[in-house]
Amino acid sequence: MSASLSKALGYYNAGQYDRALSILSPTRRHPFALNELLLIAQCYAKTEKFAEAAAFYIKAAEIGGSKQAMLRALAANMLQEADDSFASLNIARLAAKSGIFDTNAEETYRRYLHEFLCLNEAQMDDQRFLDRLKAGDERYLAAEFPHRHIGWCGDESINARQTKIHDAVAFTPASRAARRAVPHRFSDRIKVGYLSADFSDQHATMRLFQSALLQHDPDRFDIALFCSTGDDLIRLDKGSRDTYPNLQRIGHLSDPDAAALIRRSGIDILVDLKGHTKGSRAGLLNQGAAPIQVAYLGFPGSGTGIDCDYILTDAVVTPETSRPFYHEKFCLLPDSYQANDNVGRPLPPATPRSALGLPEDRIVFASFNTHRKIKPRTAELWADILRQTEDSLLWVMCSNLFARDNLLRWMENAGIAGGRIIFADPVAYPDHIARLQAADIGLDTFPCNGHTTTSDKLWAGLPVPTFKGTHFASRVTESLLRALGVGELVADNAVGYVELCVSLAKNRDELRAVKEKIAAQRTIAPLFDTTRFIRHLEKAFELMITRARNGQEPDHIAVPVLV
């Protein structure tokens, strides 16, 4: 290592990135060594000069040999940070198609295909990827994060074989046995710990769960929250966080230290609210933090590689046929698995269509899911619905301009005029619930349904037809509809789904009757009965504890209906 590079590295390690750059002289003309290029790129990334960082990662890739695909993937991520989606996709594609297999390059390219709604290319690449998965190619089983994977692949047998985990090593039978063998004294009051990085009233998980969380019976349950929530999300909180019980911040602790803290707290049941989603502490769970560990709500599927004894679920999203594809035992709640807040969830008056730029006299189909859920199959079904309801509009939330352009182009090629697509941006949550009421029919996404977004639409009185799915994520809307008492909105298959949407759009009396039923069911059906939900959840915890006290291994549990 040259003296100048050594000096620059010292400044970099001290967080003095500009001084490191001054030593490295990134504008000089003579060639850079690979290590110099990488350090310059990292300094630019640390100072949020993302376009410059991308340029030097690309230069490094040109001499990076076997690392060129990985370095181009890093460049693609920097370009996206610089808000250059088109260039980001192009360099990600180059990284993945370089002929050098690299999991980072595969993951980056596929993520951007779906993020930017490159639907035709995504469809072809999904098939390529699926062929490798079906062949059991272990490189591909580790090339995609599970929460991205379930968004396009509805095959439970393949979902169960994914091996990529955020910042953790998968648990083993030996590590699970060691966790369960740690001596533990169960409390008179059941000690339940909730683990999450989402403890803020502005996160979708807590919008669903916080009212239930606050209704635990204090005579029977001792609740603690173990919080890895980032400061940015905490700052968005509107005050509910201050009411959360016994909240302990553990984001600064290593997995072993956090697990030890939870063990010292005497937690009987640790409930993981993250699974494979952003902010997961899978490594903490795999350290063995509690005698009983439970997966819930955050991730709609098996937490492959994450050591949980049970998954809190229901018989719709996880029928008996799903059991072979889960290492967790099913704890089946009697209504829907999904908690819903009927206390803190706003229900303001409907926003007038005129204020939203929507015509008064046309059917408006609405989709407000994260736009990456719009997969090729979803777009095909939506286009079919729009073709059969010629005067209707599609109102869809999508902030990324490149993705908007791609969706418009795809729809126009499918025979849907661009003027029939109206784009919306995110708004404050009460405003969102108000604007939902201006739509006529909610459109679901496949194979990953709307989850919080579906329950938001139902809360706002909007019908959301769906059809029977093939894995947890594709059965969520059915679960919610049945718990609301409107199972007639569940079709048997995709053809029936299109027919159902078209029938509602063309028959205003039928549509009005469904909306009136949803409005009436909102106050009496199980889906939005928070107190009923928490009593069932507490019964689930009691049944788990009873098995553990009796020395029994975890097994499938069906929570009885409480009246």
Side-chain angles (χ1 to χ4, degrees), residues 364-443:
V364 175
F365 293 102
S367 171
F368 285 85
N369 301 292
T370 179
H371 68 266
R372 67 173 175 268
K373 286 189 176 183
I374 304 173
K375 303 304 183 190
R377 183 62 170 140
T378 297
E380 290 170 354
L381 294 172
W382 290 0
D384 199 2
I385 292 166
L386 292 170
R387 279 191 294 268
Q388 295 186 50
T389 54
E390 295 179 358
D391 202 36
S392 64
L393 300 173
L394 172 60
W395 191 24
V396 60
M397 190 170 73
C398 179
S399 298
N400 185 279
L401 297 181
F402 185 39
R404 286 186 179 188
D405 288 344
N406 288 333
L407 181 60
L408 280 175
R409 190 177 303 110
W410 190 95
M411 283 289 181
E412 287 170 349
N413 289 334
I416 308 301
R420 296 178 64 188
I421 315 296
I422 299 174
F423 289 106
D425 291 313
V427 296
Y429 190 65
D431 297 334
H432 174 59
I433 299 298
R435 72 178 175 181
L436 281 175
Q437 299 172 67
D440 293 297
I441 300 166
L443 288 182

Side-chain angles (χ1 to χ4, degrees), residues 299-490:
F299 181 71
S302 176
T304 51
I306 303 176
D307 186 11
C308 285
D309 303 293
Y310 296 97
I311 180 171
L312 285 161
T313 180
D314 66 55
V316 173
V317 291
T318 52
E320 283 195 23
T321 54
S322 296
R323 289 184 181 183
F325 309 116
Y326 284 71
H327 66 83
E328 306 94 339
K329 299 299 183 182
F330 293 170
C331 184
L332 300 173
L333 297 171
D335 303 313
S336 175
Y337 83 98
Q338 191 186 89
N340 273 284
D341 184 351
N342 65 2
V343 178
R345 200 178 212 153
L347 189 57
T351 304
R353 281 193 173 188
S354 58
L356 297 165
L358 299 174
E360 297 289 345
D361 59 345
R362 299 174 69 176
I363 286 288
V364 175
F365 293 102
S367 171
F368 285 85
N369 301 292
T370 179
H371 68 266
R372 67 173 175 268
K373 286 189 176 183
I374 304 173
K375 303 304 183 190
R377 183 62 170 140
T378 297
E380 290 170 354
L381 294 172
W382 290 0
D384 199 2
I385 292 166
L386 292 170
R387 279 191 294 268
Q388 295 186 50
T389 54
E390 295 179 358
D391 202 36
S392 64
L393 300 173
L394 172 60
W395 191 24
V396 60
M397 190 170 73
C398 179
S399 298
N400 185 279
L401 297 181
F402 185 39
R404 286 186 179 188
D405 288 344
N406 288 333
L407 181 60
L408 280 175
R409 190 177 303 110
W410 190 95
M411 283 289 181
E412 287 170 349
N413 289 334
I416 308 301
R420 296 178 64 188
I421 315 296
I422 299 174
F423 289 106
D425 291 313
V427 296
Y429 190 65
D431 297 334
H432 174 59
I433 299 298
R435 72 178 175 181
L436 281 175
Q437 299 172 67
D440 293 297
I441 300 166
L443 288 182
D444 207 0
T445 50
F446 312 96
C448 187
N449 295 163
H451 296 172
T452 305
T453 48
T454 292
S455 63
D456 283 343
K457 289 173 184 172
L458 295 173
W459 178 253
L462 197 64
V464 188
T466 194
F467 65 93
K468 291 180 176 297
T470 55
H471 68 341
F472 190 132
S474 59
R475 298 171 179 141
V476 169
T477 296
E478 178 182 357
S479 171
L480 304 184
L481 291 170
R482 295 198 183 283
L484 190 60
V486 285
E488 63 267 28
L489 292 176
V490 181

Side-chain angles (χ1 to χ4, degrees), residues 538-560:
E538 290 175 341
K539 184 62 177 178
F541 291 153
E542 289 172 345
L543 293 171
M544 294 175 193
I545 289 288
T546 297
R547 291 193 64 83
R549 285 183 183 275
N550 292 337
Q552 296 173 296
E553 292 285 310
D555 201 355
H556 299 294
I557 293 172
V559 177

